[in-house]
Amino acid sequence: MAESETALQAFDYTVLPANMCTVIRANTEEFTLHMNRSVQEYGQACVNVMNVHAALADRYSGRWAQWCQSVGLSIRSATRMVEVGSNVMGSAKLAELVQDGQIGKSLLQAICAPSAEPEAVDQVLSGDITTHKEYQELLAQLKAEKERGAAAEAREEEVWKMHEEAKQRAETAESRYKAALADVNSLAEANQQKNKELEAARKDLRAAKDCYSVAKKNEAFQRERIKTLQEENAALKKQPIAAVVDEEEMDKRAHQQAYAIAADMTGELRQKLERMQENDAAWVLQSKDRMESEWERMVPMLERMEPDIKKAVLDGVLKMLGRIQGQVFALYPEEEEAGHEVPGTH
């Protein structure tokens, strides 16, 4: 006797071909015979429903639903029986369990559902699970294991993500550190070069001072020589002479000779000293321009440094500038004493 899920209504066979009517009638009779009996006969009834579905569902619009109504099945119940029939026909082991009555109807429907867990189905087919209750318990266990696995996977993913982020931050920090270190090394090399240039300028300045001192000594020596010549000339004037001598002319010539000698010597020394000082001044000005150019190159480097590194570098620069400023002031002793302002101090 069919399920009383819907009001029974006779199926209309008139629209079907004769051979199709034969198939539908035969499966309907078997379905009516086996439905709601033992699990073995339920399995056969499911196969009959599957056969009718295969014949009507895809070729005769609305006839499948009409047939289900005629035998008292809802579309949902019929669909479930089609799934069971397909599984029974597709699995010799399942067909054997159904034929031997070793599986209940609820358990059979559960393992034939599209959402059935393959691992649980395998345990039913192997005989490890024989009741629907055991099946539900296994499903709960598998679900819990999946949830734990998913949670562990999520935690692992989170840990991996944190590791990658930390690695990225470390690589970025290392890159910034290397760039800052390169800038600092560049500044240190530039500072070292400037110190060498400053030391060379000091040596040139000392050499110029020594040369000037020698020139002053030569000038004093020439003055003494002129004085001696003058004294000798005065002594000659006091001595008696045999011939008439133009004393004024002799004195004039002596002075001219002495001054010419002194002028030649001191003039050459002055020219040499002036040329040396002009060369030194040009070199110092060129060095000043190079220092300004290097500073312009340093500014962008300093702007992209971290605050702590920038402060350390600037401290070193300020110390160097302080030493240079102190040495510059030392070169202005007369101006400082007179209260004159040194250019560039404001």
Side-chain angles (χ1 to χ4, degrees):
M1 195 173 176
E3 293 179 301
S4 57
E5 298 183 20
T6 59
L8 298 182
Q9 183 177 353
F11 182 72
D12 183 8
Y13 288 93
T14 59
V15 298
L16 300 178
N19 59 342
M20 183 64 67
C21 288
T22 301
V23 172
I24 300 300
R25 290 182 187 277
N27 280 281
T28 302
E29 290 175 359
E30 285 194 24
F31 167 79
T32 304
L33 177 64
H34 298 295
M35 187 61 180
N36 291 331
R37 294 191 177 183
S38 64
V39 68
Q40 296 94 326
E41 295 189 74
Y42 174 75
Q44 181 57 48
C46 289
V47 172
N48 296 136
V49 174
M50 179 195 71
N51 292 334
V52 175
H53 180 269
L56 298 177
D58 297 331
R59 287 181 288 179
Y60 300 96
S61 177
R63 299 302 172 184
W64 161 245
Q66 185 184 10
W67 182 87
C68 291
Q69 187 178 12
S70 70
V71 295
L73 289 177
S74 66
I75 295 298
R76 180 180 179 183
S77 297
T79 301
R80 186 163 58 245
M81 293 185 73
V82 170
E83 294 167 353
V84 173
S86 298
N87 279 273
V88 170
M89 293 301 293
S91 172
K93 182 62 179 178
L94 181 58
E96 180 183 345
L97 292 175
V98 171
Q99 186 63 34
D100 295 342
Q102 297 180 22
I103 184 172
K105 180 178 178 181
S106 297
L107 181 56
L108 177 61
Q109 291 177 338
I111 67 172
C112 292
S115 59
E117 184 69 39
E119 185 177 346
V121 174
D122 291 341
Q123 292 199 32
V124 172
L125 296 179
S126 66
D128 295 333
I129 291 179
T130 58
T131 66
H132 188 258
K133 180 180 179 181
E134 293 175 344
Y135 180 79
Q136 292 297 326
E137 291 174 351
L138 177 60
L139 288 182
Q141 179 182 343
L142 293 175
K143 181 180 179 181
E145 291 177 356
K146 280 187 176 181
E147 290 176 350
R148 287 194 296 271
E153 185 176 353
R155 288 194 297 271
E156 182 179 356
E157 180 70 17
E158 183 65 22
V159 170
W160 180 84
K161 183 178 179 181
M162 292 173 62
H163 169 74
E164 287 298 313
E165 290 177 352
K167 180 181 177 183
Q168 184 64 34
R169 288 195 297 269
E171 290 176 352
T172 301
E174 182 179 5
S175 177
R176 293 171 65 183
Y177 168 77
K178 288 181 178 179
L181 182 61
D183 291 341
V184 171
N185 290 338
S186 177
L187 288 172
E189 292 175 0
N191 184 49
Q192 186 178 8
Q193 181 63 28
K194 293 304 176 186
N195 287 336
K196 290 180 179 179
E197 294 174 358
L198 181 61
E199 183 60 29
R202 289 173 180 168
K203 290 180 179 179
D204 291 340
L205 179 61
R206 286 195 294 269
K209 288 182 177 179
D210 292 341
C211 183
Y212 180 74
S213 176
V214 170
K216 295 286 285 185
K217 291 179 180 179
N218 286 334
E219 183 179 4
F221 172 76
Q222 295 303 324
R223 288 177 179 173
E224 289 294 326
R225 186 173 181 183
I226 290 172
K227 182 179 180 181
T228 301
L229 288 174
Q230 289 175 340
E231 292 175 351
E232 290 176 353
N233 186 42
L236 288 173
K237 289 179 180 180
K238 296 178 180 180
Q239 294 179 3
I241 55 176
V244 177
V245 179
D246 189 343
E247 297 181 356
E248 182 178 352
E249 182 64 23
M250 288 181 62
D251 186 63
K252 180 179 179 181
R253 290 180 180 179
H255 278 77
Q256 289 176 345
Q257 182 181 6
Y259 279 114
I261 294 172
D264 290 341
M265 294 186 66
T266 57
E268 181 180 357
L269 289 174
R270 283 198 182 97
Q271 290 177 359
K272 187 179 296 185
L273 179 61
E274 288 174 358
R275 287 195 298 271
M276 183 179 297
Q277 290 180 345
E278 289 174 356
N279 292 335
D280 291 344
W283 188 91
V284 171
L285 290 175
Q286 291 176 359
S287 299
K288 187 264 300 179
D289 292 339
R290 287 197 298 271
M291 291 174 67
E292 290 179 349
S293 176
E294 290 297 327
W295 172 250
E296 293 298 327
R297 290 180 55 197
M298 294 179 194
V299 171
M301 299 179 187
L302 291 166
E303 289 176 344
R304 62 173 177 262
M305 288 183 187
E306 292 292 334
D308 52 347
I309 298 177
K310 184 191 298 183
K311 182 178 182 304
V313 173
L314 289 176
D315 287 344
V317 173
L318 289 175
K319 289 179 180 178
M320 180 190 70
L321 293 176
R323 291 195 300 271
I324 294 175
Q325 188 178 35
Q327 292 165 356
V328 169
F329 278 133
L331 296 175
Y332 278 89
E334 297 178 0
E335 284 78 359
E336 287 183 335
E337 292 174 2
H340 293 168
E341 182 180 335
V342 178
T345 58
H346 293 286

